[in-house]
Amino acid sequence: MSSAHPHKIGQAIGEGRWTRLALITIALIFLGLMLIAPLFVVFVEAFSRGVGVYIDALAMPDTMSALRLTLLVAAIAVPVNLVFGVAAAWAIAKFEFKGKAFLLTLIDLPFAVSPVVSGLIFVLLFGANSVLGPLLDSAGIKVLFAVPGIVLATVFITFPFIARELIPLMQQQGSSEEEAAVSLGAGGWRTFFQVTLPNVKWGLLYGVLLCNARAMGEFGAVTVVSGNIRGVTTTLPLHIEILYNDNKAAAAFAVASLLALLALVTLAVKTVLEARFANSHAAQRRH
Amino acid sequence: MTTAAPDGARKLRWRRRSVLPGFGLSLGYTIAYLSLVVLIPLAGLGIRSASLGWNEFWAIALDPRVVSALQLSFGAAMIAAIVNTIFGVLVAWVLVRYRFPGRRWLDAAVDLPFALPTAVAGIALATLYAPNGPFGVFLMSWFGVKVGFTSIGVTLALIFVGLPFVVRTVQPVLEEIDRETEEASATLGAGRLRTATRVILPAMFPAILTGFALSFARGVGEYGSVIFIASNLPYKSEIAPLLIVIKLEEHNYAGATAIATIMLVIAFAMLFVINILQAWSRKWFGHE
Amino acid sequence: MRGILVALVALLTLATSGGCSANEVTLLNVSYDPTAELYEDFNTAFSAGYMTADGKTVTVNMSHGGSGKQARAVIDGLGAHVVTLALQYDIDVIAKETGKIPADWRSKLPGNSSPYSSTIVFMVRKGNPKAIQDWPDLAKPGVSVVTPNPKTSGGARWNYLAAWGYASRAFAGDETKVRDFVGAIYKNAAKLDSGARGSTTTFTQQGIGDVLVTWENEAYSSLAELEPGDYEIVYPSLSIKAEPPVAVVSGNAEKDGMQQVAEDYLKHLYSPEGQKIVAKHYYRPYDPTAADPKDIERFKQIEMLSVDDPVFGGWAQAQAKHFDASGLFDLIYQPGK
């Protein structure tokens, strides 16, 4: 990352060694207490009643259904949001037009909106007291308290992730390469796939990872629209809540450890990606 | 959409023309998607809210229990955002400027709240800080402070979810800061602390502000990580999102909608400010 | 674009419309919080021994949550075929707002459509360190009480009414004193969970509170799950007869062709097999003769009020007076009262 900054220069004008040590220690302690400790607790509690209980919790039919549902929801939400993210990033990063700030605000909205409000929005839209609800119901399509409702709410919550990763990245890269490609006669799609995409592939991948992690872990919005039908409309996070409230804390943590593992894998992949990206990014800088 | 306007007419262009294709398609798709997924549902909320009528809306909004919940949500989020800003800047500094074993992994760990589901974080934090949990017991015996199921617990949960926002917003800016100015300041005789506060910090200021605002916005609406650790007592430790859920469960759609609208309007306003800040910082520094 | 989305939704609905095998039908039972274990057992027994008129087997899906919350979900469109909630009012509200349940649902099954009943008891920690014996002990300063939120939980409303009933008798109907008494108990509340189960978790897992006010069946159920001897059950001198009723949601059942299955399902709760399972899970069965005598023995005979007693006047009146918006419960939490 800062390979252009030899350590020596930093030392000449930097903080004293003790200051540095103190700052590092404080940072480590803070992160350790605030971030690592909860992660640790998940795994400790998961095995607190022994490996047998752990395996039972995972093998439970309700856990399996929850896993399937969660995967299904993510499998729909992520690709759909991927297409959107790319389209939005292309429009925003490569062109100048009025109203960009407003568009960006709209895209960022789910970040600032409470997940509960997101869920409420869909209840108002598809509930029995709305216009759409009874209409769809008479056509035999159940949205609320069924899987489609969960998918919709998840799509709403997670669509900014990929866009937000790509937009600053593409903005930073500018449009010179694409313009060069076009001037050399490449069509729109070809330019996109052969010029733009390779440049953003690490950012894109990371955005997809984050989007996926959030899609699988969404709780607040899904709570409101799910109906909690065990084994049918309970996603993994909902299932965890049910287990926890049913006095089965060890089982709850066992299932939670699955999601925690997913989070760890996400982070590990990101670290690897970043190492690769840093190299290609540094290479790009020397244009 | 990339066809030229007749040169004779002096039209006010709403966008600069570009050689790149695909503007119409990408923008059109973006707007269509946003409408379907965001605008129409939000309109539904707005319409339902509007049907309440001004008086009833304010009656709900000013109800002491609602005010209390909003105060807790905003207050705890504010404190959490401040803590996150201080420590977030510190962590970002340490990660960017220093080399030490395990730095890469620490950097990855900062994203944990992004990747970990809120429900998992919720039960973990609740267990950690409960009166019979490891931290809870420690804090009780050493400081006599009860954390679990109090507003302090709520604040701690919000610190957890908001931390990455500050670090990730400040880090790139810190990386891009021109060392030459620092060196100049040092050669002119400024002490390290003075350089840090007078030269580096101002350069980071927009990013810090943005990170703070994001952390704050996230904290206000947070649900999953908080409800397990909060005691949910009306007027004392009930967060606003929980109040929305409770009103929903009580068939009180009017109340739920009103509170949701208030939170949404504030969220929208905050976001607008954030994006303006980011645009400003881009102009100032030429990049994000 | 829109077309794709609609197609996707339709596809999803088809793909996930519960166990799409030709020889199976699914029944949705929307229930309240503590009944998870009861219905797990009961559903297994029912599915094993039952076949529809055209030879299909039945899978029963469950949804659990605070009774009030579940009622709202059904009103909002949750496709319950039967509801087995915590109190009569929650089913009445579904009937009134959706018309999917006939207004006279209560008389369709024996015992006012309650195949099981329970009562409200206290659960305390080993040795009962705060010497909790009866309702006044809960109102004492320095005692921490765990009870759920009456706005979402059915059990919480039974708790409240039991306390109110006791105070009414103790203070000879002086409503100010009764209000203060119940208010004192709730001011001692450490945490209000959304369902009875949540309160049990708070009390047992998180170690909050000195006494848990809960369903009798929930108390016994927890004791069985936890370390023996860590907790004790204390019966108050006066409690309330809690009757959780059941009903078929004809509006949904008929549409899905499940009306007969739904009726048979509920009737089975009253059968000897059903009543035996009910008693095994610590509920007081409507018909004790079928149950295992050991299960019946553990129920202490205490004096119980009924919700139809004049002090409450029935559920409609009780809900309006105490639990609706700006009812007495809301006033208890007003600052300055």
Side-chain angles (χ1 to χ4, degrees):
Chain A
M1 245 178 300
S2 309
S3 50
H5 297 153
H7 199 47
K8 294 203 183 114
I9 295 187
Q11 240 173 2
I13 59 168
E15 308 71 61
R17 172 174 299 165
W18 291 116
T19 320
R20 237 180 297 155
L21 209 60
L23 290 180
I24 295 180
T25 314
I26 298 178
L28 280 175
I29 293 181
F30 181 75
L31 289 182
L33 287 178
M34 294 305 308
L35 296 186
I36 312 293
L39 189 63
F40 202 58
V41 162
V42 172
F43 290 102
V44 166
E45 288 289 323
F47 288 101
S48 62
R49 285 233 191 148
V51 182
V53 171
Y54 185 86
I55 305 222
D56 280 341
L58 295 184
M60 233 165 86
D62 276 356
T63 306
M64 289 286 124
S65 325
L67 182 62
R68 250 178 287 140
L69 180 62
T70 304
L71 288 174
L72 176 70
V73 169
I76 297 177
V78 172
V80 164
N81 284 332
L82 176 63
V83 174
F84 166 77
V86 166
W90 180 264
I92 290 178
K94 306 290 180 191
F95 301 97
E96 290 300 318
F97 56 91
K98 287 204 174 71
K100 239 197 227 190
F102 185 69
L103 200 60
L104 280 171
T105 307
L106 271 187
I107 293 180
D108 269 345
L109 202 63
F111 267 173
V113 170
S114 171
V116 166
V117 174
S118 313
L120 170 62
I121 286 172
F122 286 102
V123 170
L124 290 179
L125 208 58
F126 292 106
N129 292 330
S130 67
V131 169
L132 282 177
L135 210 69
L136 289 170
D137 201 33
S138 53
I141 303 182
K142 280 202 163 76
V143 174
L144 206 54
F145 306 127
V147 177
I150 298 181
V151 172
L152 273 176
T154 307
V155 166
F156 178 92
I157 298 271
T158 55
F159 83 77
F161 278 92
I162 297 178
R164 276 185 113 256
E165 274 303 308
L166 283 183
I167 291 175
L169 195 57
M170 283 168 85
Q171 276 175 330
Q172 201 168 10
Q173 288 172 347
S175 16
S176 45
E177 283 190 33
E178 284 80 9
E179 282 169 12
V182 166
S183 69
L184 285 172
W189 291 110
R190 194 164 175 203
T191 311
F192 174 71
F193 279 109
Q194 296 193 333
V195 178
T196 319
L197 216 47
N199 278 341
V200 298
K201 62 176 181 252
W202 302 125
L204 188 66
L205 214 45
Y206 183 48
V208 166
L209 280 177
L210 277 186
C211 182
N212 180 58
R214 187 65 196 262
M216 295 182 72
E218 178 50 37
F219 179 68
V222 178
T223 281
V224 176
V225 303
S226 137
N228 271 331
I229 305 177
R230 301 182 174 200
V232 179
T233 62
T234 43
T235 56
L236 277 178
L238 246 50
H239 183 53
I240 293 174
E241 186 200 20
I242 288 176
L243 284 173
Y244 188 75
N245 285 337
D246 260 359
N247 255 325
K248 301 191 178 90
F253 279 106
V255 181
S257 68
L258 272 186
L259 289 171
L261 257 151
L262 172 70
L264 288 176
V265 166
T266 306
L267 293 180
V269 174
K270 182 233 176 185
T271 315
V272 169
L273 284 185
E274 222 177 38
R276 298 257 204 112
F277 175 60
N279 291 340
S280 65
H281 185 55
Q284 261 190 335
R285 274 214 198 131
R286 288 173 210 131
H287 274 178
Chain B
M1 276 243 194
T2 44
T3 50
D7 286 278
R10 300 265 220 96
K11 276 192 183 164
L12 187 70
R13 292 234 172 84
W14 68 284
R15 72 168 187 96
R16 191 157 49 85
R17 276 183 37 213
S18 160
V19 286
L20 294 181
F23 179 68
L25 180 64
S26 57
L27 188 65
Y29 182 77
T30 302
I31 293 184
Y33 194 89
L34 277 177
S35 306
L36 200 65
V37 176
V38 179
L39 290 179
I40 293 179
L42 282 182
L45 179 68
I47 294 175
R48 186 63 84 96
S49 219
S51 72
L52 277 182
W54 207 235
N55 285 334
E56 200 189 328
F57 183 87
W58 282 114
I60 296 173
L62 297 176
D63 171 69
R65 188 173 174 193
V66 173
V67 169
S68 184
L70 288 171
Q71 268 177 333
L72 175 65
S73 281
F74 282 98
M78 176 73 66
I79 297 179
I82 292 177
V83 170
N84 274 334
T85 305
I86 298 173
F87 282 95
V89 170
L90 174 71
V91 168
W93 180 270
V94 165
L95 286 176
V96 171
R97 289 298 179 94
Y98 303 154
R99 298 283 172 279
F100 52 91
R103 186 184 64 91
R104 267 260 133 102
W105 296 108
L106 213 64
D107 197 9
V110 166
D111 270 337
L112 192 63
F114 269 166
L116 197 67
T118 52
V120 174
I123 57 175
L125 289 168
T127 306
L128 208 55
Y129 291 104
N132 56 359
F135 282 14
V137 164
F138 173 76
L139 287 168
M140 193 69 219
S141 49
W142 278 69
F143 301 104
V145 165
K146 182 159 171 266
V147 166
F149 313 113
T150 61
S151 37
I152 304 183
V154 172
T155 313
L156 281 170
L158 295 183
I159 292 178
F160 177 88
V161 295
L163 180 63
F165 286 102
V166 179
V167 178
R168 291 304 183 223
T169 325
V170 169
Q171 237 180 327
V173 174
L174 209 50
E175 280 165 19
E176 296 291 343
I177 278 184
D178 205 347
R179 287 289 206 136
E180 290 177 356
T181 329
E182 271 183 71
E183 290 165 22
S185 162
T187 52
L188 287 173
R192 189 59 186 156
L193 192 61
R194 197 159 173 205
T195 310
T197 49
R198 294 291 193 90
V199 176
I200 305 178
L201 226 49
M204 296 200 294
F205 195 64
I208 295 180
L209 215 55
T210 308
F212 171 85
L214 282 173
S215 174
F216 178 71
R218 175 70 191 264
V220 166
E222 183 56 28
Y223 180 75
S225 2
V226 180
I227 52 159
F228 294 97
I229 199 174
S231 58
N232 305 324
L233 286 175
Y235 296 100
K236 274 203 244 156
S237 58
E238 197 173 43
I239 53 170
L242 179 61
L243 192 53
I244 295 178
V245 172
I246 288 179
K247 293 220 179 269
L248 255 185
E249 293 173 355
E250 295 172 4
H251 314 282
N252 186 351
Y253 283 98
T257 315
I259 306 176
T261 310
I262 296 175
M263 295 188 70
L264 200 63
V265 165
I266 298 184
F268 203 81
M270 291 224 63
L271 268 185
F272 206 64
V273 166
I274 291 171
N275 277 316
I276 303 252
L277 274 177
Q278 284 184 324
W280 172 47
S281 108
R282 242 175 28 104
K283 259 196 226 137
W284 203 259
F285 297 104
H287 58 73
E288 266 288 86
Chain C
M1 160 78 206
R2 209 164 291 243
I4 301 176
L5 223 66
V6 169
L8 212 65
V9 166
L11 207 77
L12 265 175
T13 324
L14 280 174
T16 54
S17 35
C20 256
S21 90
N23 290 327
E24 202 182 63
V25 289
T26 340
L27 182 79
L28 179 57
N29 176 353
V30 170
S31 187
Y32 64 111
D33 226 7
T35 53
E37 290 80 21
L38 166 67
Y39 280 107
E40 221 178 286
D41 258 355
F42 179 77
N43 291 343
T44 316
F46 177 77
S47 298
Y50 182 85
M51 234 191 249
T52 67
D54 38 358
K56 301 202 181 139
T57 55
V58 179
T59 308
V60 186
N61 283 332
M62 298 298 306
S63 172
H64 294 276
S67 184
K69 170 182 167 188
Q70 296 291 72
R72 178 227 80 164
V74 174
I75 292 174
D76 263 340
L78 181 55
H81 297 127
V82 299
V83 284
T84 56
L85 298 178
L87 46 102
Q88 169 203 342
Y89 179 81
D90 286 337
I91 300 188
D92 279 337
V93 120
I94 300 177
K96 193 166 70 129
E97 296 219 8
T98 64
K100 287 186 180 172
I101 302 182
D104 60 346
W105 62 270
R106 219 174 162 209
S107 55
K108 296 220 185 245
L109 286 167
N112 284 329
S113 280
S114 295
Y116 39 77
S117 69
S118 191
T119 186
I120 302 302
V121 302
F122 308 148
M123 206 162 124
V124 297
R125 303 191 187 278
K126 175 157 69 176
N128 198 354
K130 294 271 174 113
I132 310 275
Q133 297 301 337
D134 207 350
W135 292 104
D137 296 320
L138 268 58
K140 284 197 201 129
V143 172
S144 178
V145 178
V146 176
T147 169
N149 181 357
K151 298 276 186 166
T152 49
S153 160
R157 280 173 274 169
W158 288 115
N159 290 356
Y160 175 103
L161 289 181
W164 185 277
Y166 173 89
S168 259
R169 188 182 281 193
F171 297 115
D174 179 348
E175 194 158 294
T176 321
K177 290 217 183 89
V178 174
R179 253 201 236 179
D180 287 342
F181 180 82
V182 177
I185 295 182
Y186 276 92
K187 286 206 174 60
N188 279 341
K191 188 172 184 230
L192 290 184
D193 292 282
S194 75
R197 258 308 145 83
S199 284
T200 312
T201 308
T202 301
F203 184 70
T204 56
Q205 280 200 24
Q206 266 132 29
I208 308 259
D210 301 310
V211 56
L212 171 69
V213 186
T214 188
W215 300 87
E216 177 187 47
N217 61 271
E218 177 71 359
Y220 278 112
S221 180
S222 317
L223 278 191
E225 288 242 355
L226 302 160
E227 295 294 310
D230 270 355
Y231 300 94
E232 298 170 12
I233 296 184
V234 173
Y235 278 86
S237 62
L238 176 66
S239 190
I240 193 169
K241 183 169 186 207
E243 294 178 303
V246 304
V248 173
V249 185
S250 313
N252 290 335
E254 265 162 28
K255 197 160 67 110
D256 291 340
M258 296 292 290
Q259 177 74 17
Q260 186 60 50
V261 180
E263 285 176 15
D264 291 338
Y265 179 77
L266 291 183
K267 269 201 217 104
H268 196 68
L269 280 166
Y270 290 88
S271 71
E273 185 184 36
Q275 292 286 290
K276 193 158 188 197
I277 296 179
V278 153
K280 195 170 82 143
H281 285 276
Y282 317 105
Y283 286 85
R284 298 182 183 223
Y286 171 74
D287 176 17
T289 55
D292 189 342
K294 261 191 269 130
D295 289 330
I296 306 292
E297 269 164 17
R298 69 166 70 93
F299 298 131
K300 193 164 163 202
Q301 297 310 322
I302 58 170
E303 187 183 358
M304 292 191 217
L305 298 166
S306 155
V307 72
D308 293 312
D309 282 350
V311 65
F312 306 121
W315 265 114
Q317 194 175 315
Q319 178 81 19
K321 176 173 174 182
H322 298 281
F323 306 117
D324 275 347
S326 308
L328 286 176
F329 177 76
D330 276 339
L331 290 178
I332 287 179
Y333 276 108
Q334 294 280 29
K337 267 246 157 143

